[in-house]
Amino acid sequence: MGFGLLYLAALGLFLVGTFGLFGSERGPLAGVFLVPLGLPWTRLLDGVAQPLLPWLAALSPLVNLAILVAICRLATAKRR
C-alpha cells in the first residue's frame, strides 16, 4: 500500500510539472521521483523514442507494483 501511495504522489507531481497545472511552471525534472520507483525497468528505456520516454517512465513503476501485489497474494495464499 505504501508503494502505491508513493507512486500516486510521484505521478501527480509528474502531471503537475509536465502540464503546468495549478499555475506551476513546466519543468524538465517533473518525473524525477518516478525514476527510482520504476527501477530497474526505467534503465531499459534507453532506446525508446523521445516523445514516448516520459510516458513509459511514468508507467514503469506499475511493473514493480504488479510484482509486489503478486508476491503478497502468493504469500497470503501459502499461509492458508
Side-chain angles (χ1 to χ4, degrees):
M1 185 163 149
F3 184 84
L5 292 175
L6 285 174
Y7 173 59
L8 286 177
L11 189 61
L13 289 172
F14 170 70
L15 293 173
V16 168
T18 300
F19 296 114
L21 302 174
F22 308 113
S24 69
E25 293 185 25
R26 292 181 177 193
L29 297 176
V32 71
F33 297 114
L34 289 170
V35 174
L37 292 175
L39 284 174
W41 315 114
T42 53
R43 302 291 291 159
L44 298 174
L45 298 176
D46 287 341
V48 176
Q50 191 65 25
L52 291 176
L53 190 59
W55 300 106
L56 290 177
L59 294 175
S60 62
L62 284 177
V63 178
N64 288 338
L65 187 60
I67 291 170
L68 287 172
V69 167
I71 289 171
C72 288
R73 287 187 180 169
L74 284 174
T76 56
K78 290 192 180 217
R79 278 193 241 165
R80 292 181 183 177

